[in-house]
Amino acid sequence: LTSPLGSCSICSSEFRRSIAPSRPQIPRLRRDRAPIQRTCVMADIRFGADSIASAQSVSFQEAQEVAIQLGMEMVDQLKEGDNVLSESKELLSALLSHSDGARGWWVTSLTVADMEPLFESKKGSDAMAVAVLANPDPSRKLLTMNVAMSTATAEYWTEQGAEKNAEGALLTQRRTARLLRALLPSLSGLQTALEQLKLAAEGEEKEGEWAEFLNRWNYGTKQRQAIASVLAQVLETQ
């Protein structure tokens, strides 16, 4: 078996540990007052009048910093029993509107343990789903890739006897699969992408984008079988 990790930070336990432990100490947005102006540690994003324009142009590295602050703020809003605030939803939508922003959001939200409420709560999942539906690309492809890569990575670590690493990859898999199920009824092109990837993993499709994707990462037979199984479970919701 060839390690599926490569340069894929979404499945890297080392990357998860590097971003998960520290929680930014930032004021919360409240319904009864104007958004507080504050600056991220790494990214030049201000949570106020210029936030949307800034989120639409951040780099991948900056987007990760914005994502952990925004994600934890959304978690706090959910814990307080509120819906995710409109300011947070708008910023998330802006972040998902371009490739670097979307990659930064997903590499963070799908791996940081403390962001679990975003995925286990219907209000959190709905907020993310709305943002994806407003910006189908690139999240449609990124989420499809992530469910496959995290599944293959979990299979690899399990065979290596590294259960802790496998658990981290399975966390990403579960979160991605949960969100894909929520998006399937309304996200155009998602079902086709998942079906094509499943066929490629089963060996029914030897050519095309998803066959090339699996070959590029050099996934073995057991990894492909695991990917096909997870995709079948996701597609059962249709």
Side-chain angles (χ1 to χ4, degrees):
L1 258 179
T2 300
S3 168
L5 297 180
S7 60
C8 177
S9 58
I10 193 74
C11 298
S12 168
S13 58
E14 290 77 11
F15 179 81
R16 282 196 306 276
R17 286 196 297 270
S18 73
I19 61 176
S22 62
R23 175 171 171 176
Q25 298 300 313
I26 55 177
R28 301 174 183 173
L29 291 172
R30 298 291 185 184
R31 295 180 187 274
D32 56 353
R33 54 180 167 80
I36 296 172
Q37 298 292 327
R38 55 192 184 277
T39 305
C40 293
V41 176
M42 296 170 59
D44 187 20
I45 286 290
R46 302 189 70 80
F47 287 69
D50 298 329
S51 61
I52 301 302
S54 298
Q56 290 171 336
S57 60
V58 291
S59 68
F60 173 53
Q61 186 70 24
E62 292 168 338
Q64 294 172 58
E65 179 67 17
V66 174
I68 197 166
Q69 295 197 54
L70 174 61
M72 291 313 303
E73 183 139 330
M74 292 168 67
V75 167
D76 284 345
Q77 293 162 13
L78 291 169
K79 286 181 177 179
E80 291 172 357
D82 295 333
N83 289 314
V84 176
L85 300 186
S86 60
E87 293 94 335
S88 298
K89 292 178 181 178
E90 290 170 4
L91 185 57
L92 176 56
S93 183
L95 204 59
L96 296 187
S97 68
H98 63 108
S99 179
D100 282 342
R103 290 191 301 125
W105 171 258
W106 296 123
V107 80
T108 304
S109 66
L110 292 173
T111 61
V112 174
D114 288 345
M115 291 193 186
E116 184 66 15
L118 291 180
F119 295 87
E120 66 182 9
S121 161
K122 186 177 186 304
K123 292 179 180 179
S125 295
D126 285 350
M128 288 187 288
V130 168
V132 172
L133 290 173
N135 307 276
D137 295 315
S139 288
R140 175 173 43 216
K141 184 175 181 179
L142 288 173
L143 290 170
T144 302
M145 292 171 61
N146 284 340
V147 75
M149 299 181 87
S150 57
T151 300
T153 302
E155 182 66 26
Y156 170 78
W157 284 127
T158 298
E159 291 202 359
Q160 298 300 309
E163 293 301 324
K164 186 173 181 180
N165 287 342
E167 288 173 7
L170 288 172
L171 173 69
T172 297
Q173 180 210 73
R174 288 193 300 270
R175 290 181 179 181
T176 310
R178 192 179 303 166
L179 190 55
L180 287 171
R181 290 187 187 99
L183 288 166
L184 261 175
S186 49
L187 182 56
S188 175
L190 178 59
Q191 182 172 350
T192 298
L194 294 175
E195 289 175 344
Q196 290 176 346
L197 176 55
K198 179 174 177 288
L199 288 172
E202 292 171 336
E204 298 296 327
E205 293 286 349
K206 305 293 186 183
E207 299 179 353
E209 176 184 12
W210 294 112
E212 292 174 3
F213 164 76
L214 296 174
N215 292 335
R216 183 166 65 250
W217 287 99
N218 200 26
Y219 291 144
T221 300
K222 288 187 177 181
Q223 291 170 307
R224 292 174 186 238
Q225 290 173 344
I227 290 170
S229 176
V230 168
L231 291 172
Q233 294 172 32
V234 172
L235 288 164
E236 281 179 0
T237 59
Q238 283 299 93

